[in-house]
Amino acid sequence: MAAAGDGPWLDDAAGRLVRPFTVSNGRTRPTVSLDLMSQVMATGATPLGYLGPEHTQALDLCRAPLPVAELAAHLRLPVAVTKVLLSDLVDCGALTTKPPAAFHHHPTDRALLEAVLDGLRRQL
């Protein structure tokens, strides 16, 4: 049975009734470069044109800055689909993005890689 307000999108027993690629209109590549830790936030601008329920839900969640990975979890969508939806919202001016503030290191910084390796070893 569908939850109130979800219409045909969700079913308690079956889960999501619409395939994720349908949510993004079959698109698999975002028009904006986003990584998992990119921060997204609503600008307050009203987007023009049709927004699907996932677009609207993403905008509601982005009243405060959120990383892409967390937003995907809240939307219960794959990250690739979430990035396409977010890029739609960036393209129409409803969202703004910024790279993660905590990661100013070069991705091949030896000290950073050793710290990650040490953390992984402690978990094993």
Side-chain angles (χ1 to χ4, degrees), residues 60-118:
D60 289 343
L61 291 167
C62 290
R63 290 183 184 150
L66 276 178
V68 171
E70 187 174 339
L71 194 57
H74 285 298
L75 294 173
R76 296 181 178 178
L77 289 172
V79 173
V81 173
T82 301
K83 287 180 179 182
V84 171
L85 294 178
L86 295 176
S87 71
D88 291 346
L89 293 169
V90 170
D91 290 345
C92 73
L95 280 185
T96 187
T97 69
K98 70 176 189 174
F103 298 103
H104 294 292
H105 301 286
H106 192 272
T108 57
D109 179 2
R110 184 176 178 93
L112 176 63
L113 294 173
E114 286 177 357
V116 170
L117 183 59
D118 289 339

Side-chain angles (χ1 to χ4, degrees), residues 13-101:
R16 180 175 290 277
L17 297 178
V18 175
R19 297 280 186 209
F21 64 84
T22 305
V23 172
S24 63
N25 292 324
R27 293 171 295 140
T28 58
R29 297 192 189 270
T31 58
V32 176
S33 178
L34 297 167
D35 67 25
L36 291 175
M37 297 306 294
S38 295
Q39 299 285 312
V40 291
M41 184 172 173
T43 63
T46 303
L48 300 175
Y50 172 75
L51 286 181
E54 288 81 5
H55 288 93
T56 304
Q57 187 180 7
L59 270 178
D60 289 343
L61 291 167
C62 290
R63 290 183 184 150
L66 276 178
V68 171
E70 187 174 339
L71 194 57
H74 285 298
L75 294 173
R76 296 181 178 178
L77 289 172
V79 173
V81 173
T82 301
K83 287 180 179 182
V84 171
L85 294 178
L86 295 176
S87 71
D88 291 346
L89 293 169
V90 170
D91 290 345
C92 73
L95 280 185
T96 187
T97 69
K98 70 176 189 174

